[in-house]
């Protein structure tokens, strides 16, 4: 009888241990323990001089780019040039959603909450990322491209007009400041 009790306890312990191993929680695909490692975004980090051209007018500004929030996002801070006739300021967060396998971008700027309520999604493009925003007045894209030979960035911002044609909203040329 004593042998049977020891055997039952031993089998119960072995079965409980096996079940505990089978029910272990898999590591989350996203979260605080999974910082973002992205070679494209890494190339953005630093100090930049930016020239934005809109409707034929070029405006200088600066941008500071750094990793934030536990290395989950790259933050682009467009710093306004107060001497500019059209100073622009924005804070942009670019991260990656591993579950959906796409970039996400939160674009907050001087144009307020209505424009900033739309989340953008991105996919890799040659030497960069193409972001799409589905704004209430139509789709908008922002494609950035890094020239590997010069280490300069260019941004092409396009929108679809009421006739369904894609038009250039603005372009940006980024030059790294050492």
């Amino acid at each position: 009888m004593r042998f049977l009790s020891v055997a039952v306890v031993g089998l119960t312990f072995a079965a409980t241990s096996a079940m505990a191993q089978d029910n272990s929680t898999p590591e989350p695909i996203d979260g605080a323990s999974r910082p973002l490692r992205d070679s494209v975004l890494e190339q953005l980090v630093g100090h930049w001089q930016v020239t934005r051209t809109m409707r034929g007018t070029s405006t200088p500004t600066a941008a500071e780019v750094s990793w934030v929030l536990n290395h989950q996002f790259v933050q682009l801070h467009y710093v306004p040039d107060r001497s500019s006739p059209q100073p622009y300021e924005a804070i942009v967060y670019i991260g990656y959603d591993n579950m959906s396998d796409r970039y996400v971008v939160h674009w907050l700027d001087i144009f307020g909450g209505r424009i900033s309520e739309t989340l953008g999604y991105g996919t890799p493009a040659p030497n960069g990322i193409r972001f799409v925003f589905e704004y209430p007045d139509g789709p908008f894209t922002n494609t950035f491209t890094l020239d590997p030979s010069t280490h300069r960035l260019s941004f092409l911002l396009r929108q679809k007009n009421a006739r369904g044609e894609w038009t250039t909203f603005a372009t940006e040329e980024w030059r790294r400041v050492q």
Side-chain angles (χ1 to χ4, degrees):
M1 181 80 161
R2 186 171 173 197
F3 174 74
L4 183 59
S5 295
V6 170
V8 168
V9 169
L11 286 174
T12 302
F13 177 75
T16 303
S17 295
M19 286 181 5
Q21 290 175 357
D22 289 343
N23 291 333
S24 63
T25 305
E27 188 172 333
I29 193 165
D30 283 311
S33 64
R34 300 286 305 259
L36 176 57
R37 305 286 180 220
D38 187 280
S39 61
V40 174
L41 294 179
E42 187 63 44
Q43 294 178 69
L44 295 175
V45 174
H47 308 285
W48 300 85
Q49 280 302 122
V50 180
T51 302
R52 174 181 279 226
T53 304
M54 246 172 100
R55 296 181 194 102
T57 302
S58 293
T59 306
T61 191
E64 304 291 330
V65 183
S66 60
W67 286 103
V68 297
L69 301 173
N70 193 39
H71 217 276
Q72 295 292 336
F73 292 89
V74 164
Q75 176 185 284
L76 288 71
H77 182 196
Y78 285 85
V79 181
D81 180 341
R82 300 291 180 207
S83 66
S84 170
Q86 298 174 328
Y88 179 71
E89 183 173 15
I91 296 179
V92 181
Y93 295 96
I94 302 172
Y96 196 82
D97 177 351
N98 288 302
M99 183 64 77
S100 297
D101 199 26
R102 63 185 177 181
Y103 293 92
V104 295
V105 60
H106 303 265
W107 199 288
L108 311 168
D109 66 16
I110 62 172
F111 295 107
R114 178 78 174 148
I115 297 297
S116 298
E117 71 184 19
T118 302
L119 186 63
Y121 298 100
T123 55
N127 296 318
I129 302 172
R130 180 177 183 265
F131 292 101
V132 177
F133 298 83
E134 293 293 339
Y135 289 125
D137 59 347
F140 188 93
T141 64
N142 187 341
T143 304
F144 81 78
T145 306
L146 178 69
D147 182 335
S149 62
T150 64
H151 300 288
R152 289 188 177 199
L153 282 169
S154 62
F155 283 61
L156 176 60
L157 295 81
R158 303 191 78 213
Q159 62 189 3
K160 194 176 261 192
N161 65 22
R163 294 184 304 276
E165 302 164 331
W166 284 100
T167 61
T168 298
F169 175 78
T171 60
E172 293 180 354
E173 295 300 322
W174 289 42
R175 183 179 52 80
R176 190 177 294 278
V177 178
Q178 300 302 351

